[in-house]
Amino acid sequence: MPKSNGKQRKSRHILTKGNMSRGLSHLLINYSVGDKVVVVIDPREHNTTPHRRFQGRVGQIKEIGRRTVKVGILVGEKQKLLQTKFNHIRPIK
């Protein structure tokens, strides 16, 4: 049987619900362009889920839409642009 090379491959531990925050308070945070955020994948939302290689990365908000946000992440010397929903990011503390 051929090997599956999907987007969620080898991500059983990352995409578990055990330590996820409950409720809606993390969705009500007002972000602005230039804020630093951490990418924390929420396994409850499958649409606009970032790739698992971006889990725990720190990025800067480039653009804010009604339902999504674009986050610029530096990977090596390249600038990657993620478009995700608000429940996949957390403000940096």
Side-chain angles (χ1 to χ4, degrees):
M1 181 173 255
K3 193 183 221 183
S4 175
N5 294 319
K7 194 165 96 168
Q8 294 183 351
R9 175 177 167 240
K10 292 187 175 180
S11 61
R12 179 180 293 184
H13 182 70
I14 292 173
L15 298 178
T16 54
K17 288 187 185 179
N19 57 359
M20 292 302 299
S21 64
R22 306 285 189 242
L24 297 173
S25 62
H26 63 279
L27 295 175
L28 300 175
I29 298 171
N30 291 326
Y31 295 104
S32 60
V33 175
D35 287 350
K36 296 227 177 207
V37 293
V38 179
V39 176
V40 179
I41 298 172
D42 187 5
R44 295 173 288 190
E45 179 67 43
H46 296 291
N47 291 338
T48 67
T49 300
H51 195 274
R52 64 184 179 87
R53 77 171 66 101
F54 298 113
Q55 170 78 7
R57 294 279 184 133
V58 176
Q60 190 173 15
I61 293 182
K62 299 292 184 185
E63 186 179 331
I64 298 175
R66 271 182 37 210
R67 296 180 188 162
T68 60
V69 62
K70 290 187 181 179
V71 180
I73 295 179
L74 198 63
V75 178
E77 296 179 359
K78 290 186 178 181
Q79 181 79 17
K80 300 285 185 175
L81 197 64
L82 296 179
Q83 182 174 354
T84 66
K85 288 190 177 179
F86 289 101
N87 53 349
H88 295 300
I89 60 172
R90 301 283 184 270
I92 197 164
K93 293 183 179 179

